Amino acid sequence: MKKTILLVLSIFNFLIVCSCSEDEKMKSIPYDISGEPLPTEQGADKAVMDIKRSMAIVDSSMLHYFKDGSTAMSRYYNPYTNTASSELGSVWMYTSAIEAVNSVMEALKNSQSAVPQLYADNFNRYAQLLEKLYDGLDYYKGSFTLTSYTQTKKWTAYAVDRAKEKGQANMEGVLNVYDDQEWLIREMLRSYRITGKADYLAQAEYLTDYVLDGWDCYPDADGNEYGGITWGPGYVTKHSCSNGPLVSSLVWLYEAYRTKDDKITYRKIDKNLNRYEVTAKKADYYLEFAKKIYAWQKRYLMMPSGVYYDLVGATANSPQFETVNGIRYRKGLALTQPSGTAYTYNSGTMLSGCSDLYRVTRVDSYADDAKNLVAATFSEFAKKDADVENYYSYPLSGFSTWFNDVLLRGYLAAEKQNIDAKVSIESYQNNLDYAWAKFRMDGILPVNLLLGWNLSSANNNVEAMFSFSYASEYAMLANYQFSNTSE
């Protein structure tokens, strides 16, 4: 009898494997891996549940993607084969781990009065983990000399790829991009706000100076700036991802200095192409730049549907230079037509940006933009009943799982300003809870939260940044639940 059962099972398993091609779409495993019931908690209880789940995902992810306590992050982990890839994550991917830890610490800090023991037991260990992650970030750091629109200067920033030694990463050409610095600026500022450590603020400001040195301040025929930040120093295309992410960070920098008289000196170009220095209060400088970048992206990259294009091209294929008064500078370039896929993160950063601008300026147009963008993004990206009845499916191609995390940030920022995004936010909560109850395996959630794992074990690699994004989302949702409870 036992032999007969084993034979039947073997045949069944053989048929499953043979029926799955390597590129087959994600399908649900025909049983619940976790076996937990869907949660019924509400309010503070749900917030505590969210924090605990966030911490559990962070802890599992650190174990699986950072083998043996290393600061080198594997790009993939497969819970079915218990293997991590030899390929390491880029600096952008690595930043997702910092984001997740920031989100956990933020949630713990905000819940301290409600659940003091949870805070006491965990906050310091995540603060230590945060410092370790920043220490590991130095393997992506490098230095190079850049000729920009206004100057030639040596900079130290972060390269795409990890080096074998700290501070030795290759920054030349297209090997560093501005959006990578912008995601880091955001997290450094969050770390500063959570811990109060001035070094995080100083690092964020330095990187902000580097990125704003890439703003195209070259005058057009009418004497106006071309505007926009290229994808990186080696590019001419100007992307939503190299502009929108900086808006909120600039608002946060404004808030850090609005009660102070600190000054900053920066460079500009006049209509005769002369370069000159300007000194201004930091608070004024940061807020005006936030408004300027936001306005530029809205003007050039918004689609008729209200969401955002990926990029806009230029009238040359590579950076152009000129010599003025014996000094070499980069030239600005006129724009072509916008193009590319409407990714969730490009709209998410603009939703966060206009929500933050509205918060500090109370200018109604920013609130109107936020309301319109909440509606446009949910209509564009959230598909009800597409995979599971009464649940909303979001894009999954490429890096969309992490992109969707950025859109949630936007919904939460809008909701804080009493701009209704509740249905959108709840859809994220429902999807995470569904996957936690049905598909959690080895502490990891699948790429497709609603359909689960692939029937072919080898096809279940999960990007590190996806796993950390789930942890961040759970922690951000905990803050949302606590804010609703306290109202």
Side-chain angles (χ1 to χ4, degrees):
M1 181 67 179
K2 187 180 291 184
K3 289 182 178 179
T4 303
I5 293 172
L6 290 174
L7 178 61
V8 171
L9 288 174
S10 297
I11 294 171
F12 177 70
N13 289 332
F14 174 78
L15 290 173
I16 288 177
V17 172
C18 290
S19 66
C20 295
S21 64
E22 288 296 302
D23 60 351
E24 188 174 6
K25 293 182 178 179
M26 301 293 287
K27 290 184 178 179
S28 172
I29 291 292
Y31 55 85
D32 290 354
I33 294 169
S34 176
E36 290 188 9
L38 292 174
T40 58
E41 294 89 343
Q42 297 296 323
D45 289 339
K46 194 171 186 68
V48 172
M49 180 197 76
D50 284 349
I51 294 175
K52 289 181 177 180
R53 290 183 175 185
S54 174
M55 291 190 296
I57 296 174
V58 169
D59 293 348
S60 295
S61 298
M62 291 303 301
L63 178 66
H64 297 315
Y65 294 101
F66 291 83
K67 289 295 185 181
D68 302 319
S70 168
T71 58
M73 186 182 83
S74 294
R75 178 173 175 181
Y76 298 105
Y77 174 73
N78 186 326
Y80 273 81
T81 60
N82 191 27
T83 55
S85 67
S86 58
E87 179 186 358
L88 300 181
S90 68
V91 71
W92 167 45
M93 298 168 185
Y94 186 93
T95 305
S96 67
I98 298 175
E99 178 203 347
V101 175
N102 271 336
S103 295
V104 167
M105 291 177 67
E106 190 174 63
L108 288 169
K109 189 173 182 179
N110 292 341
S111 66
Q112 186 175 3
S113 60
V115 280
Q117 195 60 49
L118 187 67
Y119 172 88
D121 291 344
N122 294 285
F123 187 83
N124 286 338
R125 76 179 180 95
Y126 283 108
Q128 292 171 8
L129 176 56
L130 184 67
E131 291 181 359
K132 181 179 178 179
L133 288 170
Y134 275 115
D135 182 63
L137 183 63
D138 285 346
Y139 286 96
Y140 294 94
K141 185 178 284 186
S143 300
F144 80 123
T145 300
L146 173 65
T147 295
S148 69
Y149 304 99
T150 63
Q151 62 184 341
T152 295
K153 182 176 177 177
K154 185 176 181 179
W155 294 96
T156 298
Y158 295 91
V160 172
D161 298 319
R162 190 181 193 271
K164 293 182 179 180
E165 297 181 19
K166 290 182 178 180
Q168 299 303 308
N170 189 346
M171 297 283 292
E172 296 297 330
V174 297
L175 296 179
N176 85 91
V177 287
Y178 288 127
D179 60 319
D180 285 355
Q181 322 305 320
E182 292 174 38
W183 303 122
L184 280 168
I185 290 165
R186 177 183 183 274
E187 295 312 320
M188 288 171 176
L189 289 173
R190 293 181 74 207
S191 297
Y192 166 67
R193 296 167 87 169
I194 294 164
T195 68
K197 292 185 177 181
D199 186 53
Y200 291 135
L201 175 62
Q203 291 181 68
E205 282 198 87
Y206 178 85
L207 286 183
T208 300
D209 288 347
Y210 171 59
V211 173
L212 292 181
D213 185 59
W215 171 262
D216 189 347
C217 57
Y218 198 89
D220 62 17
D222 298 320
N224 301 313
E225 293 179 331
Y226 280 123
I229 301 167
T230 56
W231 193 12
Y235 293 89
V236 296
T237 48
K238 295 172 180 176
H239 293 239
S240 287
C241 71
S242 55
N243 287 273
L246 195 57
V247 175
S248 285
S249 294
L250 288 167
V251 173
W252 299 350
L253 283 168
Y254 157 75
E255 291 178 292
Y257 286 101
R258 63 180 166 187
T259 61
K260 303 175 183 178
D261 290 324
D262 295 58
K263 302 288 196 302
I264 188 169
T265 298
Y266 60 102
R267 296 179 65 78
K268 296 190 70 173
I269 311 173
D270 66 21
K271 62 181 181 180
N272 296 316
L273 304 184
N274 296 308
R275 275 68 175 177
Y276 63 101
E277 290 186 344
V278 178
T279 298
K281 285 184 65 174
K282 280 188 175 182
D284 296 339
Y285 172 76
Y286 290 133
L287 183 58
E288 289 308 307
F289 237 123
K291 294 176 182 176
K292 185 159 59 172
I293 293 173
Y294 178 83
W296 182 90
Q297 182 157 326
K298 182 181 176 183
R299 177 181 178 183
Y300 291 105
L301 287 167
M302 180 185 279
M303 290 181 168
S305 62
V307 297
Y308 282 84
Y309 286 107
D310 189 39
L311 61 92
V312 60
T315 51
N317 294 323
S318 60
Q320 304 295 298
F321 297 88
E322 65 182 0
T323 300
V324 178
N325 298 324
I327 303 175
R328 188 170 182 260
Y329 298 105
R330 181 167 178 167
K331 289 177 62 176
L333 293 171
L335 301 175
T336 57
Q337 294 299 310
S339 62
T341 302
Y343 294 112
T344 48
Y345 77 148
N346 290 331
S347 296
T349 58
M350 288 295 278
L351 181 53
S352 294
C354 62
S355 298
D356 279 329
L357 282 168
Y358 176 65
R359 178 168 55 80
V360 299
T361 67
R362 309 316 287 179
V363 173
D364 288 342
S365 62
Y366 292 128
D368 292 339
D369 285 353
K371 292 174 187 175
N372 293 336
L373 197 46
V374 166
T377 52
F378 199 62
S379 174
E380 178 77 20
F381 301 120
K383 306 303 179 186
K384 191 176 183 181
D385 303 327
D387 293 317
V388 176
E389 187 176 2
N390 294 324
Y391 286 79
Y392 288 93
S393 297
Y394 287 86
L396 291 176
S397 62
F399 296 105
S400 288
T401 297
W402 183 83
F403 294 167
N404 299 338
D405 170 55
V406 180
L407 181 56
L408 175 60
R409 300 175 200 169
Y411 289 141
L412 291 167
E415 184 65 34
K416 284 182 180 178
Q417 301 311 309
N418 296 317
I419 296 162
D420 187 10
K422 288 184 176 63
V423 174
S424 307
I425 294 168
E426 288 169 1
S427 71
Y428 278 79
Q429 179 79 61
N430 293 338
N431 290 359
L432 285 168
D433 289 345
Y434 188 90
W436 182 278
K438 291 185 173 293
F439 304 122
R440 179 168 49 94
M441 188 174 190
D442 207 7
I444 301 296
L445 300 182
V447 175
N448 192 320
L449 295 175
L450 297 180
L451 293 184
W453 301 102
N454 197 290
L455 289 170
S456 174
S457 295
N459 290 345
N460 285 311
N461 282 334
V462 180
E463 294 261 9
M465 67 189 309
F466 293 177
S467 194
F468 283 116
S469 73
Y470 295 147
S472 183
E473 287 167 17
Y474 256 134
M476 290 188 293
L477 288 165
N479 278 329
Y480 171 72
Q481 296 292 343
F482 271 123
S483 65
N484 285 348
T485 302
S486 62
E487 288 176 354

